[in-house]
Every structure is written in C-alpha cells, then in structure tokens.
Amino acid sequence: MITAREEKLNYLTADYGVKSWLLTVDHKRIALLYLATITLFFFLGGAFAVLIRLELLTPAGDLVQSQTYNKLFTMHGVIMVFFFLIPAVPAVLGNFLVPLMIGARDLAFPRLNLASWYIFVIGGTLSILAAILGGVDTGWTFYTPYSSTYSNTYVMITAVGIFITGFASILTGLNFIVTIHRMRAPGLTWFRMPLFIWANYAASLIMVLGTPVVAVTILLVGVERAFGLCIFNPNCGGDPVLFQHLFWFYSHPAVYIMILPTMGVISELVAACTRKQIFGYKLVAMASVAIAVLGFLVWGHHLFVSGQSVYAGLVFSFLSYAVGIPSAVKVFNWTATLYKGANTYQTPMLYAFGFIGLFTIGGLTGLMLAATGLDVHVHDTYFVVAHFHYIMVGGAIMGYLGGMHFWWPKMTGRMYPELPAKLSALVIFVGFNLTFFPQFLLGYLGMPRRYHAYPEEFQVLNVMSTAGASVLAFGYALPMFYFVWSLRYGQRVGNNPWGAKGLEWLTSSPPPTHNFDVTPIVTEPAYAYAAEEGAEIVHT
Amino acid sequence: MSTPSAEHPGHPAALLHHFDTAEQQKDASTLGMWLFLITEIMFFGGMFTAYVAGRFRFHEAFKEASNTLDVTLGAINTTVLICSSLTMALAVHAAQVGKKKQIVWFLLATILLGCTFLGVKVVEYHDKFVHHHVPGLHFHFPGPNARNAEMFFSIYFGMTGLHALHMVVGVGLLAVLAVRAGKGWFTPDYYTPVEMTGLYWHFVDIVWIFLFPLLYLLGAHFAITGH
Amino acid sequence: MSNHIVSTRIYFAVFAALIVFTWVTVAVARIDLGLYFNTVAALAIAVTKALLVVLYFMHVRYSTKLTKFVVAGGFLWLVIMIGLVMADYYTRAWIG
C-alpha cells in the first residue's frame, strides 16, 4: 500500500531536470518557479530595508550619503512593490490553487502562464541590473519632472524593467479571469466558489484594467526622458500632476492587488480553522468585487497636496471612505465567523489573527489619511509609511505566509514543523509592531519620510523601529529554514491534513500533473462544514 | 492565445489537454482575446487622457498645431484602414464558410492595405521632420504657443507611433496567418486564430477612428474660416 | 461565443456606412459650430463608427452577454479614468 502510494507520480516527480522546470506549462510548477523568484526578491528588498533602518539608527547621516539613501529607499520600494508584493499571492498561491480549487486541469492558457514568468524574470533582471550599475533615486513612484528630466541615475533601465514586468501581471490576471469563467468543475456555480477564487478574480480585474495604464505612463516618462517629448514637462506647459493621476490610477488599485488575494487566503484559513461556513459568504464575495471597483475611484487621495483641485480632493476623499465599507465587511465577517467556531490555533490561524489585527490598524489609519484636513499635516511623513506598511507587510505578507503554511503540505506532500512555525508567527507579529508602530508616532510628531538624517528628539522611536526590524528579519528568516528542512524531514501527509473543505484537498498531496484523476463534481456550497458534521451524526 | 500547438502541426484543430470540449477552448480564447483588448483600451487610454488634459488646457495651441496636419492624408488613411477592416472581416467569413483560397487572398489584401497605411504614415512623419515639427532640440513652431504646440506634437507622435507599432505587429500576425491559411490549416471547425487576429485588427482600426478626428480635425474649421 | 456567420451583405453595408461617416466627419469639421459642438459632433461620429465596427465586424452583437459586458466594462473604465482626471482639471480654476 505505502509503496503503491509512493510510486504514484505527482507533479514534482513526473519529470526531472532543469529543462523540465524551465519549459513546464504545469501551473503548479510555474507557481514554484514564481515562489523561488519572489523569495529572492523579498530578501533583496529586505536587504535594502536593513540598510535603511541601520542608517536611521542615529540622527546624523553617517552610514550612507543622502544620495545613496535615496537609492536605497527607491530600490527597496521598487523591488518590494513590483517584484514581491504584487506577484506574491496571485502568482504563487493563486497559480498553484486556482485550477485546483475550481476542479480544472490547468489554467486556460498554460503557455501564457509560463511566458508571464519569463517576462517577470526579464523585468526583474533589468531592475537588478539597474541596482548593480548604480541604482535609481526617484522613489518607487517615479514622480516627474525629477524622473523624466533631472535624475542622473538609471531611471530608464528600471522603468523598462517595470514596464516589462507589468505584462507578466496582466497575463496572470487575464489567465485567471478566463479560467474562472470557463473552466469551473461541473456544479461549481459562482456562489459555491471558495472566497480565495473570488478574491483572485477581483484582483485579476485590477491587473487587467489598471496595469496597462501604469505601463503607458512609464512609457511616456521613458520617451520624455529619451527623446525630449513634452507630456509632463512643465517647460512646455506639461503638468506633473497628470503623471501622478495616471500613475496612481494603477498604483492605488495595485495595493488591492496585494491585499485582495491575501484576504482570500484569510477567508480560507478562517473557515478551515473554525470549521464553519464564512459568516455572510455572499457579502464577503461581493465585497471583493466592490473593493476592486471602488479601489479604482480613490487614487486622488495621493494628490491632496500636489496641486489637485480641492473639489476633486473632496470627491476622492469621500470615495476613499466608501472603500472602507467593503473592507470592514470582511473584517467583521471574519470575526463573526470566529464566534462559536470550533477554533484551532495552528500556525496558519495565528497568521490569520495577525492579519486581521494589523490590517484593521492599517485600514483605520488609511481612513484617517483619507480625510483631507489630516492628510495635509501628515502627508509624506512616517505616518503614511507606517500606514501602508501595516497594509502591505502586516496585511499582505502575514496573509501570504499564513497561506504558505496552510498549503505547504499540499504543495510538497510534507508538513512543516509546528513549533518553529508558531514561533515565527509570534516573532513576526511582535517584530512588525515594534518596527512600524513607532513610525506612526514619528509621523504624527512630524518626521518626514525619505530623509537620511533627522532631529535628535526622534532617535528613541527610531531605535525602537530599528530594533523591531531586526526581530522582524529573524522572524522572516525562520520559515526559510524550516520550510527547506521539511522538504526532506517533514512528516508526510495525506490528501487532507487539515480536514478542510475545498476541491484542492480531494486530490493527493502533492497533486498529480493533471490535478485530478477524475474531474470532481461539486454538489455543495463552499465550506459546508456543518453539513458534513450533521451527516456524520446521522450515520452514528 | 490558444493557437494550434506546434506539437500538433498535422492537427491544428487539436483540443488542448486541459479543455473538455472544443467549444470551451474557443470560448476561452475569445474571452482571453477580449480581455487583452481591454488592456489595450486602457493602454491607449493613458495617452487619450494626456491628450484630453492637454487640449483642455491649451486649446489654442492644440488647434494651431492640429491645423498643420494634412487632413487629406489622414482621411485617405482612415479610408484605407476601413477597407482593411472589411477585408479582414471577409477573411474571417471565408474561414467560417470554408473557402480556403479566399482566406489567403483576403488576408493578403489586408496586409497590403495595412502596409499602405504605414507608407502614408511614413510620408507624414517625413513631412514633420522637414518642417521641424518633431519635439526635441530642433522643434520649431511659429507664434507664441510654440511650447504648448510641442506638447501637441509629442502626443501626436506618441499616439500615432504607438498605433503604427500595433499596425506593424498586426501585419506580422497576418503574414503568419496567411502562410498557415495557404497550407490549409483553417477549417469551419477551427479558425480561432483568424478570428482572434481579426479582433485585434479591428481594434487597431477603432483606435484610428478616434485618433483621426481628435488629432487632424479639431481645428479644421479655423483653417477654413480663418478665425 | 456562438458560431454565428454574419452575411457579407451586412459587412458591405457597415463598410459603406463607415466610409460615409468618414466623409461626414471631415465635412462637419470644416463648418464652424462653435467650440463645443465641433468636438461633440466629431466624437459622436467617431463613437458611432466604433460601435459599428465593434458590433458587426467584431461580432459583439452576436456574442454572449459576457463578451458584451467585458467590452462595455473596458470603455466604462476609460471613461472613469478620463472623467475623474478631468474633474480635477475642470474644477481647479474654481478656487483661486
């Protein structure tokens, strides 16, 4: 029996050799390719963060020159945003799980999927090349006219890298939308789909509708820089604020590309760990779509002090408040699901708890920033830095790691060790808060972002932040070790180690190349835990 | 696009392993293509936004600059593109009804018309170089609105250049299709690539349908009436 | 998407309409209708032409609801982008 199970080929053992990986069209292998690539980028971006925090340990600008510091925070932002956070959940967990969760044999366009990874690698390589050659100092936002006219750093190479990478994102989103529309298993109606699928669908809408705009915006900056065209250049009447409009039309929704799929992960974790149907399933599903749609209407809150019309500011402020509604719906519904659930506290759930708490703080401070009156005061201070790190790191990365732990046994067929995993969740949570909560205070006290030196009265909070960053770095390093360790020594698991609902748990761990030996037929809603337990009672 | 896989040259209509039915496969291709066109709308959309903002702020300069463009050449090119859209639609139709020779001829006609468009565009661009209407160091425009006119020409070159680039890609795709159609790949059961390329080609036509009045005609009545 | 075959007569009729509209738009542009109406007329004609191409040449009229939805959504998003950006430019002068 055991040997028979071991002999069964899965997607990892179906073929061997570098070529079989580099030319694979299997969505699961492509997910692992993405995993390896973005992990590399994560630690690269993290290295820049370490240098930033070290410089800020003392008030004087003693570790690096201001010019170097500008490059450090720019490269940190560029790599973390475009090469880690945006692909993190969709391209790794989404790629792996979307076909499995809807009972399909692959994504609709497997070769496009592979192409997207190559495009991503080419774009990433160019950006690293720019860093090696000497870096870029415009900030990840590439504001004109500094980026298009004045900066003497490697703006062009970085811009081309990001332009190219955008298409990887577009192809992933396009692939997901088509797959979710056309390839669901028999019986899997829209309102039976797991919330992870809904969330990825919503994020894919943003990738398809938003990414092209940032691509063309970067293209315009590129031609302005290279050929002297006049689009944003104030010398011929161009408007730098137009650049900000076009840039944030994508880059604000891009935050939802990071957070929406993560919210999908949290929904899965909460359902599995409470053994309950998600409270208000339909509302949570529709909230994902609502966030995607409303998320497109709020970008102007980045321009409150840029010279945008105050009337437009009012509208954008109001709409930014509106996007808080579906976000809050999700938080309330997760907590309502926890109520009287058969709650368990394994690692994924700890990460989910971390997500809910930190995302709430990040979201509420976001509402504060959406108020024009307050934003005028804390704009471009550490308050903003702390706010978006609570969303992107406290939210997106917590959820991503929670998902990685939850589906790790499905991906590899082996369980991670529970004790160090719990430790990592705890260390990350503590380290994160220690790093970023002081930054709220710093910002509120008036410390501006993007400077390498600061007045002495800010030192205590900055030392706390740097201390927290080292705890955080330790927390992030832990999973690297025990995940790799578990590949060889982890306990082997069966199809469904969590006893969770969902089509991905029906197939073997790791799944065979074509996912399912028999196409599953869906007869019940997502997370039908109560139904199953009820049935058991009848049988006994 | 789920074009026939290179692994099955003899069976272009082969069903890829992960689809259940040919219909599902075709539906997926159609939806995928339309989503791609949506990304194209947004891609051009960024430039359209720049155009609208520029025109709103510098109406006079845009008008003056627009009046230096050759409306006749623009109109001819519009007609050429509309003709090419017709031949493209007829190529898809020929594929649908299984007239294999006709597919090739209509595709070749579309390529020819596309190249004609690009040829006219080269003439126009050359004209801009001669008159120093290309943004940059050698830009020259009479009157007080020169700098703002430079913005018009920047947008003009950006938009028409991007459009022309799409035309070049389209001509390339059509050439591949024409070769495959010549080999008899496409049947009434399997003509998805022809249809998808058709959608792309029509989309490029639509972009021009907007570019023509926005760039060439916005101040035409001033050129005539003189005020 | 259905395999609806559009009759070539419709293609030729649409083609004729597109050519006619092209000449109409050139002719209208040469008449001074005032600042706004020249633009409105040019855009109305362009939208009509685009609709003809989308509905008939691109078969959207005969396509599934989903395709129609996707097409409409794409144009709607373009309108959102241009609309909200212009909302800024349009109201900037309201406060000195």
Side-chain angles (χ1 to χ4, degrees):
Chain A
M1 286 279 284
I2 291 163
T3 51
R5 205 190 83 187
E6 281 184 341
E7 275 165 16
K8 191 185 164 192
L9 286 179
N10 59 52
Y11 80 104
L12 294 169
T13 56
D15 204 350
Y16 290 96
V18 175
K19 203 178 145 195
S20 79
W21 280 89
L22 292 183
L23 296 179
T24 183
V25 289
D26 183 349
H27 66 101
K28 299 180 288 301
R29 284 188 164 210
I30 295 170
L32 294 193
L33 291 176
Y34 260 115
L35 174 64
T37 325
I38 68 160
T39 306
L40 184 75
F41 279 115
F42 176 71
F43 283 102
L44 194 62
F48 288 116
V50 167
L51 291 172
I52 292 172
R53 278 320 322 166
L54 282 178
E55 164 57 54
L56 293 177
L57 198 56
T58 55
D62 39 16
L63 181 67
V64 292
Q65 300 282 316
S66 56
Q67 172 73 1
T68 314
Y69 185 79
N70 292 348
K71 289 177 180 172
L72 287 180
F73 72 70
T74 302
M75 297 310 297
H76 169 68
V78 165
I79 286 178
M80 285 304 199
V81 169
F82 293 108
F83 298 101
F84 174 71
L85 284 163
I86 286 175
V89 178
V92 178
L93 292 173
N95 241 335
F96 194 91
L97 291 167
V98 165
L100 281 170
M101 281 187 168
I102 65 171
R105 289 188 284 276
D106 206 324
L107 286 171
F109 309 116
R111 279 179 295 165
L112 272 193
N113 196 17
L114 181 64
S116 110
W117 180 70
Y118 275 103
I119 293 171
F120 179 76
V121 169
I122 293 169
T125 310
L126 282 175
S127 293
I128 293 180
L129 181 70
I132 292 172
L133 288 174
V136 57
D137 67 350
T138 59
W140 77 276
T141 46
F142 295 97
Y143 272 15
T144 56
Y146 185 65
S147 64
S148 60
T149 312
Y150 300 109
S151 174
N152 293 319
T153 53
Y154 291 86
V155 178
M156 274 307 271
I157 300 178
T158 320
V160 171
I162 291 169
F163 178 82
I164 292 173
T165 307
F167 290 94
S169 185
I170 289 174
L171 291 181
T172 303
L174 188 151
N175 225 334
F176 282 2
I177 295 179
V178 175
T179 307
I180 293 167
H181 267 287
R182 292 292 180 223
M183 314 215 24
R184 299 193 308 275
L188 187 60
T189 56
W190 281 87
F191 285 111
R192 281 179 179 175
M193 290 196 314
L195 289 165
F196 181 75
I197 301 292
W198 273 103
N200 271 282
Y201 182 80
S204 302
L205 291 178
I206 300 174
M207 294 190 220
V208 166
L209 287 164
T211 318
V213 178
V214 82
V216 78
T217 312
I218 290 175
L219 184 73
L220 288 174
V221 170
V223 292
E224 193 164 310
R225 199 177 160 86
F227 306 117
L229 257 59
C230 286
I231 311 279
F232 307 119
N233 190 345
N235 286 338
C236 39
D239 185 9
V241 178
L242 178 67
F243 169 84
Q244 297 181 24
H245 273 300
L246 293 174
F247 179 82
W248 288 111
F249 179 85
Y250 164 75
S251 295
H252 189 78
V255 177
Y256 301 110
I257 298 179
M258 305 166 195
I259 204 73
L260 269 171
T262 320
M263 289 171 155
V265 169
I266 300 304
S267 295
E268 299 296 318
L269 300 188
V270 167
C273 297
T274 58
R275 320 207 61 74
K276 275 175 75 183
Q277 159 82 284
I278 291 287
F279 180 83
Y281 162 88
K282 270 195 184 177
L283 257 182
V284 178
M286 296 319 291
S288 290
V289 180
I291 290 173
V293 171
L294 287 173
F296 269 106
L297 311 178
V298 303
W299 78 79
H301 63 221
H302 295 270
L303 285 69
F304 283 159
V305 299
S306 300
Q308 178 185 242
S309 141
V310 284
Y311 296 98
L314 272 178
V315 173
F316 280 122
S317 174
F318 174 78
L319 289 166
S320 305
Y321 275 99
V323 85
I325 297 170
S327 313
V329 162
K330 292 197 170 214
V331 171
F332 283 126
N333 285 14
W334 290 322
T335 42
T337 310
L338 291 170
Y339 179 67
K340 285 194 177 173
N343 299 359
T344 52
Y345 298 97
Q346 286 122 325
T347 313
M349 194 59 195
L350 296 185
Y351 275 106
F353 276 130
F355 173 95
I356 295 172
L358 299 179
F359 174 76
T360 305
I361 296 176
L364 288 175
T365 51
L367 289 181
M368 291 165 74
L369 289 168
T372 40
L374 182 63
D375 185 73
V376 168
H377 290 283
V378 293
H379 187 90
D380 265 346
T381 68
Y382 267 87
F383 192 88
V384 177
V385 176
H387 152 68
F388 72 72
H389 278 91
Y390 264 78
I391 298 286
M392 292 177 179
V393 183
I397 299 184
M398 282 300 252
Y400 166 70
L401 285 174
M404 282 306 296
H405 284 87
F406 188 64
W407 285 291
W408 186 255
K410 180 53 69 182
M411 290 172 140
T412 62
R414 289 178 189 266
M415 189 57 98
Y416 60 85
E418 188 67 27
L419 193 66
K422 277 186 170 159
L423 183 69
S424 81
L426 192 70
V427 169
I428 289 174
F429 185 80
V430 171
F432 174 83
N433 281 300
L434 191 55
T435 311
F436 290 105
F437 199 83
Q439 297 188 6
F440 276 127
L441 307 176
L442 282 169
Y444 203 78
L445 293 172
M447 178 168 164
R449 62 193 284 207
R450 295 183 167 176
Y451 285 90
H452 74 316
Y454 55 84
E456 277 181 18
E457 63 258 39
F458 294 141
Q459 189 172 12
V460 173
L461 289 167
N462 268 301
V463 169
M464 283 170 73
S465 184
T466 300
S470 34
V471 177
L472 192 57
F474 173 68
Y476 285 140
L478 268 181
M480 278 297 289
F481 291 108
Y482 62 73
F483 273 150
V484 173
W485 178 88
S486 76
L487 286 177
R488 193 176 174 92
Y489 303 104
Q491 194 188 351
R492 280 185 188 279
V493 293
N495 291 2
N496 191 356
W498 306 105
K501 288 284 181 178
L503 298 182
E504 77 269 29
W505 302 111
L506 295 180
T507 189
S508 49
S509 307
T513 299
H514 296 312
N515 292 352
F516 298 97
D517 296 330
V518 182
T519 304
I521 295 171
V522 181
T523 55
E524 57 183 20
Y527 323 115
Y529 288 101
E532 183 202 43
E533 276 150 27
E536 273 176 7
I537 292 164
V538 173
H539 284 299
T540 51
Chain B
M1 280 173 287
S2 71
T3 46
S5 45
E7 308 92 72
H8 310 292
H11 303 278
L15 183 64
L16 294 169
H17 78 88
H18 58 294
F19 289 109
D20 290 327
T21 61
E23 198 195 349
Q24 186 191 26
Q25 180 171 326
K26 186 163 187 291
D27 277 354
S29 301
T30 310
L31 181 58
M33 191 64 200
W34 271 108
L35 287 169
F36 171 71
L37 294 183
I38 295 301
T39 68
E40 289 278 29
I41 291 178
M42 297 311 287
F43 194 71
F44 279 98
M47 288 203 176
F48 275 105
T49 311
Y51 167 87
V52 176
R55 181 171 164 182
F56 177 79
R57 298 172 65 221
F58 308 116
H59 190 260
E60 285 297 314
F62 270 46
K63 208 167 62 188
E64 284 172 26
S66 165
N67 283 342
T68 67
L69 301 181
D70 191 330
V71 175
T72 313
L73 284 183
I76 289 173
N77 250 354
T78 312
T79 314
V80 167
L81 261 197
I82 292 172
C83 290
S84 80
S85 253
L86 175 71
T87 54
M88 187 69 234
L90 291 174
V92 175
H93 183 267
Q96 285 174 323
V97 296
K99 292 182 177 162
K100 292 193 177 184
K101 279 231 172 94
Q102 273 194 19
I103 309 176
V104 183
W105 285 115
F106 280 127
L107 287 176
L108 290 178
T110 314
I111 292 174
L112 188 69
L113 289 163
C115 291
T116 311
F117 177 94
L118 289 168
V120 174
K121 210 70 229 161
V122 168
V123 172
E124 286 191 79
Y125 278 3
H126 178 257
D127 192 52
K128 298 283 163 297
F129 273 97
V130 171
H131 289 97
H132 296 288
H133 286 168
V134 180
L137 286 179
H138 303 289
F139 182 80
H140 178 74
F141 194 82
N145 293 326
R147 295 319 301 270
N148 299 341
E150 191 173 358
M151 185 199 271
F152 175 85
F153 283 108
S154 299
I155 293 173
Y156 167 83
F157 275 101
M159 291 181 108
T160 57
L162 198 62
H163 179 262
L165 193 67
H166 278 76
M167 295 282 296
V168 172
V169 171
V171 167
L173 289 174
L174 288 171
V176 174
L177 276 191
V179 171
R180 290 186 176 175
K183 289 180 186 164
W185 274 39
F186 304 118
T187 64
D189 292 326
Y190 177 76
Y191 57 90
T192 310
V194 187
E195 200 180 0
M196 297 304 122
T197 312
L199 289 178
Y200 174 81
W201 193 260
H202 294 311
F203 169 80
V204 177
D205 185 20
I206 288 176
V207 172
W208 185 259
I209 284 176
F210 282 99
L211 287 184
F212 174 58
L214 290 180
L215 294 175
Y216 289 76
L217 298 177
L218 81 99
H221 54 283
F222 293 98
I224 304 298
T225 57
H227 65 83
Chain C
M1 182 157 163
S2 63
N3 293 330
H4 185 94
I5 296 175
V6 183
S7 143
T8 48
R9 276 174 56 202
I10 290 182
Y11 285 143
F12 281 106
V14 169
F15 170 72
L18 290 172
I19 296 291
V20 169
F21 276 126
T22 302
W23 292 112
V24 170
T25 194
V26 173
V28 169
R30 294 181 180 223
I31 307 165
D32 189 0
L33 298 171
L35 182 62
Y36 290 104
F37 283 103
N38 273 103
T39 311
V40 169
L43 277 180
I45 295 169
V47 168
T48 315
K49 286 166 77 182
L51 269 178
L52 283 173
V53 174
V54 168
L55 289 178
Y56 294 98
F57 282 176
M58 298 171 96
H59 302 165
V60 166
R61 196 185 155 188
Y62 313 99
S63 298
T64 55
K65 266 188 194 162
L66 177 63
T67 309
K68 289 175 185 160
F69 195 72
V70 168
V71 178
F75 282 101
L76 177 67
W77 247 252
L78 182 61
V79 171
I80 287 175
M81 177 163 72
I82 296 178
L84 278 174
V85 170
M86 291 318 293
D88 169 23
Y89 283 102
Y90 194 73
T91 57
R92 258 188 220 179
W94 287 8
I95 273 186

